[in-house]
Each structure stands twice: as C-alpha cells, then as structure tokens.
Amino acid sequence: MPWWIESAWGHPPPLLVAMMGRLCQSYVSAVALAVIVLGPSIVSAALSSDRKASQAKDMGEGRPIHAVIDERIKVILDQAESDNDYTKASHAASVLFDKVLAWAPAKDTRSFVKVAYARRLLRQLRLARFSDTTAMLRYLRRNQKLARTLAFFVHPFESPAEIYRLVDRLRIERGDKLDQYANLVTAICCVHDQSLVRRVNENQVLAADPVELFDYFVRYRKKMYYGVVNMPPELLVFVVDSTATIGQMQWALQRYEGDGNIGDRFFEIKYDRNHFRYGSAKRVTIEGFNLSNILKYGGVCADQAYFAASVGKAIGVPAAYTYGRSGQLSHAWVGFFVARNKQGFWNFDVGRYNAYRGVQGITENPQTRQPIDDSTVALRAELVPSSVSDRHAAVAMTDAARRLAVLLQDDRLLSSDPFGQDVSRIMDQSRTVDSDQC
C-alpha cells in the first residue's frame, strides 16, 4: 500500500473540488469551479466582486474580521443551545454569511470558511428536527472534526433529517469513537440514511445495519487496503455502500486482504453459459446469492461485477458496479479506485469488452441513489493531492457563489450595513450585485 494513503488524505469537500486540483488559492479559482457547476449566469457578478475585493484595505487598528466572525458565531451557537430555536439561529448565521459576502475581501477565505460552516451546520440541524437537537449541537461542538466533516459534506439541497437521526444513533451507541472516524461516520450516514436495497438481475441484496457496518470497518481498519480514517467521504461512500452481509464481508477480507487488483476478481468468476444460452436457472440463485456462492457456482456479467465490487468494498477499495448498453445487449463490469505515486484514478476498463468501450458507463451515486456516469465518478480521484484548507475553501466559496447568484436573480443588494464596530481587513465599500456592474 502506498505510504501516503493514511497521511495525505484530508477532510472532504464536494465533488466540485476534484475538477481543479489544488483549489482556492484565490477566489478566482473557486469562482471558476462554481461557474462549471452553476453555469455562466454568475460569472460577471462574481468577477466584478473579485475586482472590488482587490480594492480592500486595512481600516485602522480595529479587530480582524475573522476574530469578529468567531465571536459572533459563538454567540449564535450559544443562543441556539440556550433557547433551542434553530430557525432563529439559522437565520442569524445566514445574515452573518451575507455580511461576510458583502464586506470580506475575496482573498480572506478563512472568514468565508468559518461562516459557511456555521450556516451549513445550523441549517442542517434546523431541518433535521429530531427530539434533542440541542444535545446533538453540544456533542458536535465538542467533536469539531465530525461537525465540520458533516457540515461540508451534506449537500445544500439534500434533506439532512435521516442523516442526523443516524448520526444521533451512532452518537448514543458509539459516541466515544465518532470524531476519530469522522469521514467514516459521514459516509455511512449519508449512504445509509435510507435502507439500501439493490437488485442484481433476479436477486435482491440488502445492506447490513449501519452500526454493524461502522463496527466492521473500525474493527478491521488496519486491514483496509486504503484505510478508512483519512479517505475522503466522496470516495468512502463507494466502500461503505456494500450490500453483502457482515459475514460475507469477513469472508472476502480473509480471502483477499491486501490484494488491490479488484479487476482480477471479475474474471475469477466462471461464466454460467447454460443460463446465458438456455435460460435455465442459475445455480447461484438456487443455492443462495452471496459472495462465496458466486465464487463457487459462477454467474453472468452482473454477478461477476457485483462480486468484484463487493470484494473491493470489503477490503477497503472504493469500487462500483457499472453497466452500459451496446446495440441490443446490456453488460455489467466493475470500476475501482487505484492509487499510485501520490495520485489516484478510477479504472473502468476491466470486464468492459470492446463493444462497450465507446459506451458511457453508468453506476449509482451511493449518497443520492441516482444514476451517475463513470466519468463523473472518475473526477473523485482528483481529491488525492488537494489539501484540507483548499477543499473547505472551495465549498465555502461555492456557497458564496450560489448565494451571489440568488441575490443577482432577485436583483437585491448585499448588506450596506458594515459590522457595526471598528473592524480591520474589510473592503472599503460593500460588494454589490447591481446588474449595471455585470
């Protein structure tokens, strides 16, 4: 296993970051990324904001803006704990976010990251609506790694209710371990917030209980090929979305531990030609559909792909069951992550016969349960060389770009009211979204 795997990974950003390598060394980098995702409508407004940000100056001997933001965020969180009013707290964080968007220089990514974190966390808690939100907030404030990982990973348009209910269950049952395994917890909760059931041709498979999955990966963490502590959730979701039983995952780990050649597993399964030619029932279906029986009795391409992907997940290699259609026939193959020389890539070639080389491969986004093409999945490998600070900044700046686009669409001005005290390191005038500037 490459030496850097457990040390070089960092906290997660959204998939957007993968497109740009080392991102957000400038606001322009984040704007370019946001433009890719959001479209050209925000370009002129965002760039005019960047030009205005270049006019920022140090205003006297006042307190730095990031220190003021820290203080105000603490007040908002303390008040939320005190009165249990998360609608009010979420609104206060949003108002603060708009003030930062109005007055913070573009290069001050630290301020954007701080306020984006608070805004995301309080919005997610407000929408979660479970019985003891305040207990969860107190827990997250004590476990900052988990809090930030969750806040920056849950998509703004994703419903966080079931995610946080599962986090709460893990908090109650495994509370002393969660912060140490923040990426693992986040991936599990964002994948298994709903029951995970899949069909592999005529067979149906159901994922294990999420707490049991957490225990499996923690218990065997040192045996996982790429580790589970520092792997970003964007890749880890393709590990924890296994639909094999815990017993079958243990069987696979015992047999294939340390062998990252997941493609070899595809061709290890003998092809059931009688089923293909005559339509007879597959032996593996008759005997019981699981990994050990697939190896014993064979199957068709769907079973080969399922076996290879499931073995990969069991040993800690991100893997995906992938399929496509060429002419009149459909085919399934396996995709899996490969790390080499501090770089990573997805291999979607094994089992992809010539007739399917020019066909788009489709798999499932474990987080959304929606189809996703293999080229989009491949972008996630680009997370490897990016740093924690760059990735968090990319999320925050993308949030800022989204907000700027909303304000532009509504033809609204940003806050013309500064922070109300002597604050240094802010712009000399408020950033606006006046359409005349665009």
Side-chain angles (χ1 to χ4, degrees):
M1 180 177 70
W3 64 268
W4 53 271
I5 288 296
E6 276 294 349
S7 60
W9 302 101
H11 291 279
L15 170 60
L16 341 153
V17 184
M19 301 183 212
M20 301 294 292
R22 286 183 58 85
L23 277 179
C24 289
Q25 295 178 0
S26 69
Y27 184 46
V28 177
S29 297
V31 168
L33 180 61
V35 169
I36 291 172
V37 177
L38 301 175
S41 63
I42 67 163
V43 175
S44 52
L47 292 182
S48 70
S49 297
D50 191 54
R51 287 193 297 271
K52 186 157 290 190
S54 67
Q55 301 169 8
K57 62 182 180 181
D58 193 343
M59 297 181 65
E61 299 298 326
R63 300 175 62 202
I65 182 175
H66 63 82
V68 175
I69 291 169
D70 280 339
E71 182 179 89
R72 295 198 179 185
I73 288 174
K74 183 178 185 303
V75 170
I76 293 171
L77 294 176
D78 288 347
Q79 188 65 38
E81 284 191 16
S82 174
D83 60 20
N84 202 35
D85 189 342
Y86 288 88
T87 299
K88 177 182 175 182
S90 181
H91 175 72
S94 294
V95 170
L96 182 60
F97 184 86
D98 281 356
K99 282 188 177 292
V100 171
L101 183 55
W103 291 98
K107 64 183 180 181
D108 184 12
T109 55
R110 175 166 55 170
S111 292
F112 281 95
V113 168
K114 288 174 182 291
V115 73
Y117 161 67
R119 178 175 178 252
R120 281 171 160 264
L121 179 65
L122 287 167
R123 176 188 178 275
Q124 291 165 18
L125 290 174
R126 172 175 63 84
L127 295 176
R129 297 178 181 174
F130 53 89
S131 57
D132 198 350
T133 306
T134 296
M136 173 61 74
L137 176 58
R138 288 171 179 160
Y139 177 82
L140 291 174
R141 293 182 76 181
R142 294 194 305 270
N143 295 272
Q144 280 290 300
K145 184 177 180 182
L146 175 62
R148 292 180 180 276
T149 304
L150 277 167
F152 282 112
F153 187 67
V154 176
H155 194 280
F157 302 120
E158 186 176 16
S159 173
E162 295 303 322
I163 294 172
Y164 274 85
R165 285 189 180 92
L166 186 49
V167 173
D168 198 40
R169 181 186 167 197
L170 283 164
R171 175 184 69 87
I172 293 169
E173 298 185 29
R174 303 290 186 271
D176 61 330
K177 296 181 178 179
L178 300 197
D179 202 56
Q180 180 183 355
Y181 299 101
N183 292 352
L184 177 63
V185 171
T186 298
I188 288 176
C189 291
C190 288
V191 169
H192 297 278
D193 52 328
Q194 302 176 38
S195 296
L196 179 56
V197 182
R198 289 179 176 143
R199 294 203 67 85
V200 183
N201 285 344
E202 72 275 19
N203 294 296
Q204 180 174 285
V205 285
L206 173 66
D209 178 80
V211 176
E212 293 181 3
L213 277 171
F214 175 78
D215 291 342
Y216 171 87
F217 286 111
V218 169
R219 178 180 179 183
Y220 298 113
R221 62 191 181 280
K222 294 183 179 179
K223 295 178 179 288
M224 295 295 105
Y225 193 78
Y226 291 123
V228 295
V229 174
N230 294 315
M231 185 188 293
E234 287 80 7
L235 288 174
L236 202 47
V237 292
F238 286 96
V239 174
V240 304
D241 67 326
S242 174
T243 49
T245 66
I246 297 297
Q248 286 290 293
M249 292 173 70
Q250 291 171 326
W251 171 86
L253 180 61
Q254 182 177 18
R255 187 179 183 93
Y256 298 107
E257 177 190 350
D259 187 351
N261 298 313
I262 304 304
D264 291 350
R265 306 288 77 78
F266 183 92
F267 292 109
E268 192 173 1
I269 305 305
K270 60 186 177 183
Y271 199 86
D272 190 337
R273 299 191 179 279
N274 285 334
H275 171 76
F276 180 75
R277 290 173 179 171
Y278 310 116
S280 56
K282 289 187 295 186
R283 182 73 184 276
V284 68
T285 300
I286 296 172
E287 298 295 336
F289 188 79
N290 58 43
L291 301 183
S292 55
N293 279 349
I294 295 173
L295 180 62
K296 184 176 181 180
Y297 299 113
V300 295
C301 62
D303 308 306
Q304 293 172 311
Y306 175 77
F307 179 84
S310 297
V311 168
K313 298 174 195 298
I315 68 171
V317 176
Y321 175 102
T322 312
Y323 62 92
R325 186 175 182 84
S326 177
Q328 296 181 341
L329 292 177
S330 295
H331 177 58
W333 60 93
V334 64
F336 57 98
F337 177 76
V338 180
R340 201 171 288 162
N341 299 323
K342 299 187 180 182
Q343 300 292 326
F345 64 92
W346 276 79
N347 184 333
F348 283 101
D349 293 334
V350 177
R352 192 174 193 163
Y353 302 128
N354 288 337
Y356 300 89
R357 294 288 178 179
V359 174
Q360 185 179 64
I362 301 296
T363 186
E364 181 182 83
N365 183 332
Q367 186 176 0
T368 65
R369 310 285 176 86
Q370 297 299 310
I372 184 173
D373 62 84
D374 52 2
S375 59
T376 301
V377 174
L379 287 173
R380 298 179 181 227
E382 297 300 321
L383 292 169
V384 171
S386 61
S387 71
V388 173
S389 58
D390 285 350
R391 298 198 305 255
H392 280 188
V395 180
M397 290 304 194
T398 301
D399 284 354
R402 289 182 185 276
R403 178 61 176 159
L404 197 61
V406 170
L407 294 171
L408 175 61
Q409 184 177 14
D410 294 344
D411 197 25
R412 292 159 58 188
L413 293 177
L414 286 168
S415 171
S416 59
D417 177 29
F419 283 82
Q421 56 183 288
D422 192 9
V423 179
S424 66
R425 303 175 192 172
I426 64 174
M427 298 195 299
D428 58 352
Q429 58 180 314
S430 170
R431 181 181 286 114
T432 71
V433 290
D434 187 338
S435 58
D436 290 341
Q437 298 178 15
C438 303

